Amino acid sequence: MPHVRVPITTDRLVLRSFRPGDEADVFAYRSVPEVVRFIPGDPRTTDEVADLVAERASAGRLDVDRPALTLAVELGGRVVGDVLIHLAGPNGVDLRQVEIGWVFAPDVAGNGYATEAARALVRVSFEELGVHRVWARVEPRNEPSVRLCERLGMRREGVLKQASWFKGEWTDLAFYALLADEYRPAQQP
């Protein structure tokens, strides 16, 4: 079964399992409407964040029964975001494909942290999990995430017009992906 060794360290960040004590940091960004605009769910309450942190504490194992892993992104002792690695293809759980996602505190935007964390997920997906394809689905109006996908070297594979009933409206879904034979470790510090 695939296993993600945590923590994952980059030049500036630590991607690790959630743990007790992360609740205030996570609430600081997961409770902001603009931050959760393009991700499932509403702004979180303190109780919901406490449940989220408790639920997502994990040793890093991914399998058919637990195909998704959400990691806290720590910067200098503070959780500034979280990232998702999900064993999934377009038709459900797939051990050969990984969907990635991210959400970050607005006060750290523009410093490259989301790109750095997402690059680490791409590296782990190809080099440790040995997957064939890494992909992301993005609402095209989420321009920072579109640009992040492009910085990762992902290609835009297509857009499904008004394919998702999301937060009270029909929204488009853009799909970005990178294949194992396209992956260049030098592009993914």
Side-chain angles (χ1 to χ4, degrees), residues 153-174:
M154 293 177 142
R155 127 190 94 281
R156 186 175 183 160
E157 293 188 325
V159 176
L160 301 178
K161 300 300 284 179
Q162 296 185 11
S164 177
W165 181 255
F166 188 72
K167 298 192 178 184
E169 66 177 323
W170 286 105
T171 62
D172 296 347
L173 288 175

Side-chain angles (χ1 to χ4, degrees), residues 58 61-63 65-70 84-87:
S58 170
R61 180 140 322 265
L62 290 167
D63 59 37
D65 295 325
R66 253 186 5 187
L69 176 65
T70 303
L84 168 75
I85 189 165
H86 184 204
L87 295 170

Side-chain angles (χ1 to χ4, degrees), residues 38-153:
F38 296 111
I39 63 173
D42 294 321
R44 301 288 178 120
T45 66
T46 54
D47 288 341
E48 290 169 333
V49 166
D51 291 344
L52 180 143
V53 168
E55 172 191 320
R56 294 188 177 170
S58 170
R61 180 140 322 265
L62 290 167
D63 59 37
V64 174
D65 295 325
R66 253 186 5 187
L69 176 65
T70 303
L71 298 173
V73 178
E74 183 179 300
L75 172 68
R78 174 184 162 212
V79 176
V80 296
D82 52 83
V83 292
L84 168 75
I85 189 165
H86 184 204
L87 295 170
N91 300 316
V93 174
D94 185 340
L95 301 179
R96 298 160 299 179
Q97 297 187 66
V98 165
E99 178 184 11
I100 60 174
W102 45 84
V103 58
F104 279 80
D107 67 311
V108 299
N111 291 297
Y113 301 128
T115 302
E116 189 172 327
R119 279 189 176 135
L121 294 183
V122 169
R123 180 186 56 75
V124 164
S125 297
F126 287 127
E127 296 179 15
E128 293 181 23
L129 299 177
V131 301
H132 168 70
R133 182 172 176 264
V134 174
W135 64 283
R137 76 182 109 191
V138 178
E139 213 280 12
R141 294 179 294 181
N142 185 348
E143 293 176 12
S145 285
V146 167
R147 289 191 304 273
L148 193 157
C149 289
E150 292 167 350
R151 282 193 298 279
L152 294 175

Side-chain angles (χ1 to χ4, degrees), residues 16-29 46 49-54 57 72 74 77-80:
R16 60 165 174 79
S17 296
F18 283 93
R19 58 183 177 231
D22 290 339
E23 294 85 359
D25 289 345
V26 175
F27 180 75
Y29 63 90
T46 54
V49 166
D51 291 344
L52 180 143
V53 168
E74 183 179 300
R78 174 184 162 212
V79 176
V80 296

